[in-house]
Each structure stands twice: as structure tokens, then as C-alpha cells.
Amino acid sequence: MAGHEKEKTEALGEVLNGDRLVSAPYELSFKKEKDSKVVCKRKLTKEQVAQFREAVKKDYYFQMYYDDLPIWGFIGTIDKEGKTDPSEYKYFLYKHIQFDILYNKDRVIEISARMDPHSVVDLTEDKDVDVEFMYTAKWKETDTSFEKRMDKYSQSSSLPHHLEIHWFSIINSCVTVLLLTGFLATILMRVLKNDFMKYDFLAHLSSVGHLVAYNIILLILFSPLASCFRL
């Protein structure tokens, strides 16, 4: 898919959230269905096969947006059926995505992505493989109003649990908070230190002033008496 992607300029919130958005090569024109349209053909090297296999093992998934509606889908699957030893697992990469899009009049209401379990590439062995990525688009009318189209996405229970956790965002936020707290604490300690030094200096001057004044008063009071003794 090289050459199709185009980076999107992220807003501040997207940057802090760890999002990096690029344009996808899928063409989803309104109410135009497509059946098994080829996106691209690639020859994956054994190094790329190993990278994809590791991504499938860690449950990597993609996230896209269409008309500001989010779409999720796993990039692959693991065949564990009848196998107890992890070394016997089979790893597969999905190569066919089906987009199911609901619309009401001229507005898009909902979109979802389903992966074809029968259209996969075996990633189990480190060897070069040829892949043909495809997609299908199906449109269907719905009675749901445009104003209610985000109700589904506002319920976190509608998402797989592990899709709700954005660890990068959490770690990024924690580090940012700690750094800001450290900077503020450093500035505050410097200000307080300067204030304490100034107050100590003023207190010292005040005590010295009282002592000088006391000595002057004693000198004035007892100076006549001292002159009498001298007489």
C-alpha cells in the first residue's frame, strides 16, 4: 500500500492521545457497492512476515474513521484449536475487509468492518509470501436518525474490553503530569527559598537595630552617673 497513504495533520488532542493518522486506500463512495476490489498486491519478505506474526500474537488492531465514525478490526488471527503447545499455533493475516455501511437518506449512520476468515495469509513460517489485499463495501438503509448515530459509540460496553485501553495515552498523560508537577515544585521551592532568605535578613537587621538602640539608651541614662563617679 506504499504510495497511497498521506499523513494527516493532527490536532493537539490527537498528538497527546498518541494518534498518528494517515489516509487509507479504500474508496467508499456514498451508496456505491464494491465486491472484492483489489487494493494492492505485495510480496512480504520473511522479515515482514515475522513482524506481522508478532503483531497478530499481540492482538494488534487497526482503527479508521469514515465520516467521523470510528472503525475497528483485528489484523489477523491465531489458530489454537486442538493445540496445547504455543509452538504449534498457526498465525494468519487477514487480507479481505468487508465494510457494512448504514445510511438514512443522504447521511451515513453507522459503519463496521468484518474480516473474512476464509481469506487469510499464513504467517507461521519465516518465508516470503505474496499477498493480495481486497475489500468489499455493502450499503444498507436504516431508520436510525442522524442525531442518534453516535449513541452506539458512547457506550463503552459495545467495544471489546481490551480495545478500550490506550496504554500509550495513559503512560503519556502520566509522564506529562509528573513533569509538570516537577517543574512547578522546582519553581515553588526557589521562590520560597528566596523569601525565607529575605525574611531572615530582615529579622537579623531588626534584632541588630534593637540592640543598638538599647545600647544608646543605656549610654544616655548612665552617662551622667559615670561623670559623677569621675568627679
Side-chain angles (χ1 to χ4, degrees), residues 36-49:
S36 301
K37 180 177 176 59
V38 177
V39 179
C40 70
K41 298 179 181 180
R42 291 289 300 272
K43 184 180 183 65
L44 301 179
T45 65
K46 59 182 181 180
E47 291 80 12
Q48 292 173 328
V49 169

Side-chain angles (χ1 to χ4, degrees), residues 33-85:
E33 297 195 351
K34 295 185 178 181
D35 188 17
S36 301
K37 180 177 176 59
V38 177
V39 179
C40 70
K41 298 179 181 180
R42 291 289 300 272
K43 184 180 183 65
L44 301 179
T45 65
K46 59 182 181 180
E47 291 80 12
Q48 292 173 328
V49 169
Q51 291 176 350
F52 273 114
R53 183 174 62 247
E54 189 67 20
V56 172
K57 186 185 300 184
K58 294 181 179 180
D59 288 333
Y60 273 42
Y61 64 94
F62 65 82
Q63 180 173 344
M64 296 185 288
Y65 294 90
Y66 181 71
D67 196 32
D68 294 330
L69 296 175
I71 315 167
W72 296 274
F74 290 101
I75 67 171
T77 183
I78 305 176
D79 181 14
K80 302 180 181 179
E81 187 175 356
K83 304 174 182 65
T84 57
D85 188 354

